[in-house]
PDB file of all heavy atoms in Angstrom:
ATOM      1  N   ILE B 129     -37.649  13.227  -6.199  1.00 91.00           N
ATOM      2  CA  ILE B 129     -37.977  14.110  -7.299  1.00 91.00           C
ATOM      3  C   ILE B 129     -36.880  14.171  -8.325  1.00 91.00           C
ATOM      4  O   ILE B 129     -35.787  14.569  -8.101  1.00 91.00           O
ATOM      5  CB  ILE B 129     -38.347  15.518  -6.761  1.00 91.00           C
ATOM      6  CG1 ILE B 129     -39.512  15.483  -5.865  1.00 91.00           C
ATOM      7  CG2 ILE B 129     -38.631  16.389  -7.993  1.00 91.00           C
ATOM      8  CD1 ILE B 129     -39.930  16.887  -5.404  1.00 91.00           C
ATOM      9  N   ARG B 149     -48.414  16.139 -26.896  1.00 73.00           N
ATOM     10  CA  ARG B 149     -47.423  15.673 -25.870  1.00 73.00           C
ATOM     11  C   ARG B 149     -46.485  14.629 -26.438  1.00 73.00           C
ATOM     12  O   ARG B 149     -45.313  14.696 -26.242  1.00 73.00           O
ATOM     13  CB  ARG B 149     -48.106  15.079 -24.691  1.00 73.00           C
ATOM     14  CG  ARG B 149     -49.067  15.884 -24.016  1.00 73.00           C
ATOM     15  CD  ARG B 149     -49.767  14.965 -23.009  1.00 73.00           C
ATOM     16  NE  ARG B 149     -50.915  15.554 -22.412  1.00 73.00           N
ATOM     17  CZ  ARG B 149     -51.749  14.814 -21.793  1.00 73.00           C
ATOM     18  NH1 ARG B 149     -51.670  13.403 -21.699  1.00 73.00           N
ATOM     19  NH2 ARG B 149     -52.832  15.345 -21.258  1.00 73.00           N
ATOM     20  N   LYS B 169     -34.449  22.954 -14.897  1.00 81.00           N
ATOM     21  CA  LYS B 169     -34.511  21.704 -14.186  1.00 81.00           C
ATOM     22  C   LYS B 169     -34.818  22.078 -12.619  1.00 81.00           C
ATOM     23  O   LYS B 169     -35.624  21.429 -12.052  1.00 81.00           O
ATOM     24  CB  LYS B 169     -33.144  20.956 -14.211  1.00 81.00           C
ATOM     25  CG  LYS B 169     -33.148  20.130 -15.439  1.00 81.00           C
ATOM     26  CD  LYS B 169     -31.936  19.112 -15.369  1.00 81.00           C
ATOM     27  CE  LYS B 169     -32.035  18.297 -16.573  1.00 81.00           C
ATOM     28  NZ  LYS B 169     -30.966  17.227 -16.605  1.00 81.00           N
ATOM     29  N   VAL B 172     -38.485  23.295 -12.411  1.00 90.00           N
ATOM     30  CA  VAL B 172     -39.508  22.304 -12.385  1.00 90.00           C
ATOM     31  C   VAL B 172     -39.505  21.430 -11.106  1.00 90.00           C
ATOM     32  O   VAL B 172     -40.469  20.874 -10.648  1.00 90.00           O
ATOM     33  CB  VAL B 172     -39.588  21.355 -13.673  1.00 90.00           C
ATOM     34  CG1 VAL B 172     -39.940  22.219 -14.856  1.00 90.00           C
ATOM     35  CG2 VAL B 172     -38.292  20.731 -13.918  1.00 90.00           C
ATOM     36  N   GLN B 211     -33.189  30.242  -5.083  1.00 86.00           N
ATOM     37  CA  GLN B 211     -33.360  31.550  -5.809  1.00 86.00           C
ATOM     38  C   GLN B 211     -33.797  31.293  -7.247  1.00 86.00           C
ATOM     39  O   GLN B 211     -34.109  32.336  -7.955  1.00 86.00           O
ATOM     40  CB  GLN B 211     -31.974  32.328  -5.791  1.00 86.00           C
ATOM     41  CG  GLN B 211     -31.739  33.088  -4.570  1.00 86.00           C
ATOM     42  CD  GLN B 211     -30.436  33.777  -4.517  1.00 86.00           C
ATOM     43  OE1 GLN B 211     -29.391  33.161  -4.902  1.00 86.00           O
ATOM     44  NE2 GLN B 211     -30.323  34.978  -4.105  1.00 86.00           N
ATOM     45  N   THR B 212     -33.791  30.126  -7.761  1.00 85.00           N
ATOM     46  CA  THR B 212     -34.134  29.834  -9.118  1.00 85.00           C
ATOM     47  C   THR B 212     -35.400  30.467  -9.595  1.00 85.00           C
ATOM     48  O   THR B 212     -35.398  31.205 -10.569  1.00 85.00           O
ATOM     49  CB  THR B 212     -34.164  28.355  -9.403  1.00 85.00           C
ATOM     50  OG1 THR B 212     -33.192  27.693  -8.819  1.00 85.00           O
ATOM     51  CG2 THR B 212     -34.146  28.058 -10.917  1.00 85.00           C
ATOM     52  N   PRO B 213     -36.539  30.348  -8.857  1.00 89.00           N
ATOM     53  CA  PRO B 213     -37.759  30.986  -9.406  1.00 89.00           C
ATOM     54  C   PRO B 213     -37.561  32.435  -9.559  1.00 89.00           C
ATOM     55  O   PRO B 213     -38.027  32.942 -10.617  1.00 89.00           O
ATOM     56  CB  PRO B 213     -38.784  30.680  -8.180  1.00 89.00           C
ATOM     57  CG  PRO B 213     -38.288  29.498  -7.466  1.00 89.00           C
ATOM     58  CD  PRO B 213     -36.750  29.593  -7.572  1.00 89.00           C
ATOM     59  N   LEU B 249     -23.032  20.046  11.596  1.00 92.00           N
ATOM     60  CA  LEU B 249     -22.222  19.051  12.405  1.00 92.00           C
ATOM     61  C   LEU B 249     -21.381  19.875  13.394  1.00 92.00           C
ATOM     62  O   LEU B 249     -21.012  21.037  13.098  1.00 92.00           O
ATOM     63  CB  LEU B 249     -21.308  18.292  11.428  1.00 92.00           C
ATOM     64  CG  LEU B 249     -22.016  17.229  10.587  1.00 92.00           C
ATOM     65  CD1 LEU B 249     -21.011  16.581   9.650  1.00 92.00           C
ATOM     66  CD2 LEU B 249     -22.688  16.098  11.488  1.00 92.00           C
ATOM     67  N   ALA B 259     -23.659  29.360   9.759  1.00 94.00           N
ATOM     68  CA  ALA B 259     -23.899  30.725  10.117  1.00 94.00           C
ATOM     69  C   ALA B 259     -24.056  31.561   8.800  1.00 94.00           C
ATOM     70  O   ALA B 259     -24.914  32.431   8.782  1.00 94.00           O
ATOM     71  CB  ALA B 259     -22.743  31.247  11.018  1.00 94.00           C
ATOM     72  N   ARG B 323     -18.887  20.251  22.178  1.00 96.00           N
ATOM     73  CA  ARG B 323     -19.730  21.215  23.017  1.00 96.00           C
ATOM     74  C   ARG B 323     -19.180  22.643  22.799  1.00 96.00           C
ATOM     75  O   ARG B 323     -20.002  23.591  22.889  1.00 96.00           O
ATOM     76  CB  ARG B 323     -19.698  20.842  24.519  1.00 96.00           C
ATOM     77  CG  ARG B 323     -20.645  19.712  24.626  1.00 96.00           C
ATOM     78  CD  ARG B 323     -21.089  19.136  25.793  1.00 96.00           C
ATOM     79  NE  ARG B 323     -22.140  18.113  25.603  1.00 96.00           N
ATOM     80  CZ  ARG B 323     -22.090  17.010  24.803  1.00 96.00           C
ATOM     81  NH1 ARG B 323     -21.043  16.791  24.105  1.00 96.00           N
ATOM     82  NH2 ARG B 323     -23.030  16.188  24.738  1.00 96.00           N
ATOM     83  N   PRO B 346     -23.839   1.044  13.464  1.00 80.00           N
ATOM     84  CA  PRO B 346     -22.981   0.880  12.182  1.00 80.00           C
ATOM     85  C   PRO B 346     -23.896   1.374  10.995  1.00 80.00           C
ATOM     86  O   PRO B 346     -23.439   2.006  10.103  1.00 80.00           O
ATOM     87  CB  PRO B 346     -22.808  -0.604  12.138  1.00 80.00           C
ATOM     88  CG  PRO B 346     -22.801  -1.067  13.514  1.00 80.00           C
ATOM     89  CD  PRO B 346     -23.892  -0.307  14.261  1.00 80.00           C
TER      90      PRO B 346
END
Side-chain angles (χ1 to χ4, degrees):
Chain B
I129 299 183
R149 299 174 195 164
K169 279 191 173 184
V172 290
Q211 279 177 316
T212 316
L249 285 174
R323 283 187 176 57

